Amino acid sequence: MPCTGLNCPKPTSLETNNEYSYEKLTQTAEYLKSLISFTPQIGIICGSGLGSLADSIQQKIEVPYPQIPNFPQSTVKGHSGCLVFGYIATVPLVCMKGRFHYYEGYPLEKCAMPVRVMKLLGIELLIVTNAAGGLNPNYKVGDVMLIKDHVNLMGFAGCNPLRGPNEERFGPRFPSMNGAYDPRLRAEAQKIAQGAGLAKGVHEGVYACLGGPCYETIAENRLLRQLGVDTVGMSTVHEVIVAKHCGLPVFAFSLVTNESVCDYESKVEPKHDEVIDAAKSMEAVLQKFVQGIIEFVAKNGVK
Ligand SMILES: O=P(O)(O)O[C@@H]1C[C@H](O)[C@@H](CO)O1
């Protein structure tokens, strides 16, 4: 908040130059509200190649990112770059077909700004999905891992989407990250997964985000494994931090799209096209899974 008292210091450039101030984000949310006649209850972020999660949305209103004031643009294959509003199982929602990554050149607060916009639109639950490398030796390509916790590796180096002046209207300066991944929905998701045909391959584990765009070295994969990381990717963590900060419950999962190799003898190399193909081959099952989660929320509420 600007201070008007006589002895108060002048606002710093950080305060005056905030590209994603509460006011700017409100402007973005107000523009989007003017296009829809309902309040979205759930926000969904589609991971690489997972944009088809929006296919089951009814009464779609699609808004391309270039049309949205203050919104970044998608630059990555597999992230088409539009917001889709509509309904799944009678639940009004908004879906991001295309997220923003640090390696695209966006600072973390910019990558995560749509989470605050969705909060201002009125969502009460955020569903986050990602394509990820499977580090846990029990994981196979095509498995789903419900995220129970994360390792904020970029945070170890001081990169955090909440860095800078805190905006109290969103949340506190020092938020706890405990319970960021809603335990009730995770427990329920185990049952829903069976109905969706995912019975064999649903795990629960820990996700870590690196800055990318390089995939991890074998030495890095070995280190991550020792740290207790089960899947590794280049997204999600900053979105979840911002969601937890503003009090949004999160349900998140990784689709294992490739094996993260820990063996110098292995000839397996990660490739983005294969990541997208692996996601594509799971689209029908994952649509059913996400629909099951939404139906549960429709029946039982978010809390
Ligand atoms: O957006 P997500 O995290 O699902 O995408 C992963 C991370 C990189 O963007 C890309 C690498 O293949 O897939």
Side-chain angles (χ1 to χ4, degrees), residues 46-48 76 79 99 101 103 129-131 207 215 233-236 272 275:
C46 299
S48 279
V76 185
H79 291 269
R99 63 146 59 90
H101 306 84
Y103 64 76
T129 69
N130 61 57
Y207 173 86
Y215 292 107
M234 305 174 194
S235 67
T236 302
H272 187 59
V275 166

Side-chain angles (χ1 to χ4, degrees), residues 47-48 99 101 103 128-135 139 145-154 181 204-211 216 224-225 227-240 252-256:
S48 279
R99 63 146 59 90
H101 306 84
Y103 64 76
V128 186
T129 69
N130 61 57
L135 280 159
Y139 293 5
M145 185 194 82
L146 310 178
I147 304 180
K148 69 172 183 201
D149 205 352
H150 65 228
V151 179
N152 179 14
L153 279 171
M154 296 172 75
Y181 299 87
E204 273 195 35
V206 174
Y207 173 86
C209 164
L210 277 82
E216 302 66 42
L224 290 169
R225 196 61 207 123
L227 291 176
V229 175
D230 298 295
T231 59
V232 59
M234 305 174 194
S235 67
T236 302
V237 168
H238 36 277
E239 297 157 350
V240 173
F253 67 85
S254 290
L255 172 69
V256 177

Side-chain angles (χ1 to χ4, degrees), residues 14 24 67 77 100 105 113 120 133 143 155 181 193 200 212 236 238 242 250 257-258 262 295 300:
L14 274 177
K24 280 255 171 83
Q67 188 182 316
K77 185 175 174 189
F100 308 111
M113 72 75 97
L120 291 171
D143 283 1
Y181 299 87
K200 271 197 209 138
T236 302
H238 36 277
V242 166
V250 171
T257 53
N258 56 287
C262 291
E295 278 164 7
N300 302 281

Side-chain angles (χ1 to χ4, degrees), residues 35-81:
L35 306 178
I36 52 174
S37 55
F38 56 84
T39 300
Q41 194 187 352
I42 296 180
I44 303 174
I45 304 180
C46 299
S48 279
L50 293 171
S52 63
L53 291 176
D55 290 355
S56 38
I57 297 179
Q58 313 281 310
Q59 300 174 50
K60 281 189 195 121
I61 299 173
E62 298 199 2
V63 191
Y65 293 165
Q67 188 182 316
I68 307 173
N70 312 316
F71 227 66
Q73 305 310 316
S74 279
T75 68
V76 185
K77 185 175 174 189
H79 291 269
S80 59

